[in-house]
Amino acid sequence: MPNLPKSSKTFLGTSQARYEVEQMKNNIDGKGTFAYFGIANGLQRCVNEKLHKNGIIEIRIHADEAPVTKSGTEHLWILAGKVPFDPDIYKPFEIAIYDSEGKPKTAEIFLRRFIRELNILQQDGIYIGGKHLGVTLKCIVVDTPAWAFLKNTVGHTAIFACERCSVTGEKVEGTTVYPSTNAEERTDDSFRGFQQPEHHHGTSAFLRVVPFLNMVAIFVLDLCIFVVKE
Ligand SMILES: [Zn+2]
């Protein structure tokens, strides 16, 4: 009966996750706090190992930011994980949370522990209930600000912003428009090779994930808006 919670802890939503709050600089005045809960921790709490007969746990990562209050400037940057499964029985779990008036000073410091743990899990797998399971990253779901931040690319209104192709945008009355829909496709190779340098702010921590991610296809936008110039 996969729809039943794995344990009372899952049912009650209680957690034994241990974490420490650490200082992590932001991009404004340097003040920010960070807590890392971990991927393995979340998987241990939710996954029912008996249901994964193929011996694999897929994980989907969600990255987003959210204001702490309606009126204040403080907000959270959140990395969460979810195990996609049919039926959809697993709730999302927290992986890392950053709390500040700005965003983490660099994506590198925000992602360092996550990338390190992801690589270990994808290489070694995880033991849950005495069973060894492989772990595979399926996709990373992001909105446009998180997309640019995590990949360390230019923001979504920049001239060379398009994630999927190398189109050159134009500014029209303060709005960036992308006048062509047949520009050269952006590929994992072209991304890793910095073939359009203007697209990048610098190197992305996700380039270190092993096995290598397809740096274009692995990121999925949770909202797509296209502006086509007439
Ligand atoms: Zn495009």
Side-chain angles (χ1 to χ4, degrees), residues 83-123:
V83 177
F85 197 78
D86 185 14
D88 184 19
I89 51 171
Y90 292 130
K91 287 185 180 160
F93 55 88
E94 68 280 12
I95 296 173
I97 298 180
Y98 182 73
D99 177 6
S100 176
E101 305 252 314
K103 59 184 177 186
K105 187 160 192 197
T106 62
E108 174 61 39
I109 56 171
F110 179 64
L111 291 169
R112 189 171 291 151
R113 290 181 67 178
F114 168 74
I115 301 283
R116 192 188 306 145
E117 188 184 14
L118 178 64
N119 281 345
I120 292 169
L121 286 171
Q122 291 208 116
Q123 183 182 308

Side-chain angles (χ1 to χ4, degrees), residues 162-167 180:
C162 185
E163 194 50 38
R164 303 286 174 186
C165 77
S166 55
V167 62
S180 146

Side-chain angles (χ1 to χ4, degrees), residues 1-16:
M1 299 179 74
N3 287 309
L4 287 179
K6 188 190 172 196
S7 69
S8 59
K9 275 181 218 131
T10 316
F11 179 67
L12 295 168
T14 52
S15 162
Q16 287 187 322

Side-chain angles (χ1 to χ4, degrees), residues 52-105:
H52 295 258
K53 296 202 165 45
N54 63 356
I56 299 286
I57 304 170
E58 290 185 323
I59 52 171
R60 209 164 67 201
I61 301 300
H62 293 253
D64 207 353
E65 56 176 326
V68 175
T69 57
K70 272 187 183 162
S71 52
T73 52
E74 183 183 1
H75 55 270
L76 306 173
W77 277 77
I78 301 159
L79 271 189
K82 179 169 163 82
V83 177
F85 197 78
D86 185 14
D88 184 19
I89 51 171
Y90 292 130
K91 287 185 180 160
F93 55 88
E94 68 280 12
I95 296 173
I97 298 180
Y98 182 73
D99 177 6
S100 176
E101 305 252 314
K103 59 184 177 186
K105 187 160 192 197

Side-chain angles (χ1 to χ4, degrees), residues 117-209:
E117 188 184 14
L118 178 64
N119 281 345
I120 292 169
L121 286 171
Q122 291 208 116
Q123 183 182 308
D124 298 342
I126 186 170
Y127 279 92
I128 298 180
K131 183 175 174 183
H132 183 255
L133 296 156
V135 176
T136 303
L137 175 62
K138 190 176 167 69
C139 64
I140 303 158
V141 182
V142 280
D143 62 3
T144 39
W147 182 315
F149 177 61
L150 297 183
K151 292 184 78 175
N152 209 5
T153 58
V154 291
H156 62 283
T157 59
I159 299 294
F160 298 98
C162 185
E163 194 50 38
R164 303 286 174 186
C165 77
S166 55
V167 62
T168 302
E170 288 174 23
K171 293 278 182 196
V172 177
E173 293 170 7
T175 301
T176 312
V177 298
Y178 301 95
S180 146
T181 53
N182 54 7
E184 196 180 334
E185 198 181 334
R186 202 179 294 287
T187 64
D188 183 49
D189 277 349
S190 70
F191 188 93
R192 287 175 185 273
F194 279 59
Q195 278 180 24
Q196 188 179 53
E198 302 92 335
H199 180 62
H200 303 262
H201 274 319
T203 187
S204 166
F206 280 101
L207 293 171
R208 295 201 305 276
V209 175

